[in-house]
Amino acid sequence: MKLIVGLGNPGYDYVFTRHNIGWLIVDHILSQKNAGAPSKKFGGEFWILGNTRGIALLKPHTWMNLSGLSAREAFDFYKINAEDILIVCDDVALPFGKLRIRTKGSAGGHNGLASVIGALGTLEIPRLRVGVGNKPVGGNMRNWVLGHFPEENKDDLPALIDKAAEAALLWAEEGIEKAMNVVNAKQGLGIRD
């Protein structure tokens, strides 16, 4: 089984915030695949896609900074290898619209990713980082990631979500090497290459 975990925060106020881009991408995959209602398990919402080769999706409801608790429950229940989990999250170090897939690495200051790394006890967890741009000089990082996308990004947001969903499914269906070759290439899936 391949598990795609979209990071985000529960609650209406957070729906279109930068920190919830992982949830938006999971939602897009679910709508494309007509996935139906979720199971309430693993501290969140969980789906197994019926018309795919063992792909599951998880939206933790544990709040961003405790996302690892939810991911760990699914990891233990299904006895998934760490390399078979893809964490989808925002990245302030990437410009808006840029995508990056990595096989492993540090959390890079992302508290949700740090929670997953800590809960699973390894840095070797694939992740799809979605560029949301960095905070303005002198701005507050918490306010930035919990802020809504500005008007100048809203026109490009659907294309970004679509490309990120495509990247996540490419990882699940064809593997990390293929996904990295396509997504991380200069002319890859990013909407702003």
Side-chain angles (χ1 to χ4, degrees), residues 8-10 23 40 42-45 58-64 70:
N9 285 309
W23 276 28
K40 302 288 186 186
F42 311 128
E45 295 176 294
L58 175 63
K59 287 172 50 177
H61 282 215
T62 52
W63 298 97
M64 178 64 77
S70 180

Side-chain angles (χ1 to χ4, degrees), residues 67-131:
S67 297
L69 298 175
S70 180
R72 181 67 200 218
E73 283 188 40
F75 174 83
D76 288 343
F77 185 84
Y78 285 104
K79 298 176 177 35
I80 303 169
N81 295 320
E83 64 267 14
D84 292 328
I85 299 174
L86 180 72
I87 305 301
V88 182
C89 62
D90 59 299
D91 190 331
V92 298
L94 292 174
F96 176 82
K98 197 74 170 166
L99 302 176
R100 282 284 175 259
I101 289 187
R102 298 282 185 252
T103 58
K104 60 184 176 182
S106 73
H110 193 287
N111 291 336
L113 189 52
S115 175
V116 174
I117 289 169
L120 298 184
T122 181
L123 295 173
E124 297 189 21
I125 305 164
R127 71 279 318 260
L128 171 60
R129 292 181 172 263
V130 181

Side-chain angles (χ1 to χ4, degrees), residues 7-28:
L7 301 188
N9 285 309
Y12 180 76
D13 291 343
Y14 300 102
V15 173
F16 286 103
T17 63
R18 293 173 184 89
H19 236 10
N20 271 42
I21 194 75
W23 276 28
L24 293 172
I25 292 160
V26 165
D27 287 342
H28 188 67

Side-chain angles (χ1 to χ4, degrees), residues 138-154:
N140 177 288
M141 184 60 75
R142 182 180 188 281
N143 292 343
W144 179 253
V145 296
L146 295 179
H148 293 84
F149 287 97
E151 287 301 320
E152 62 264 20
N153 293 151
K154 286 185 179 173

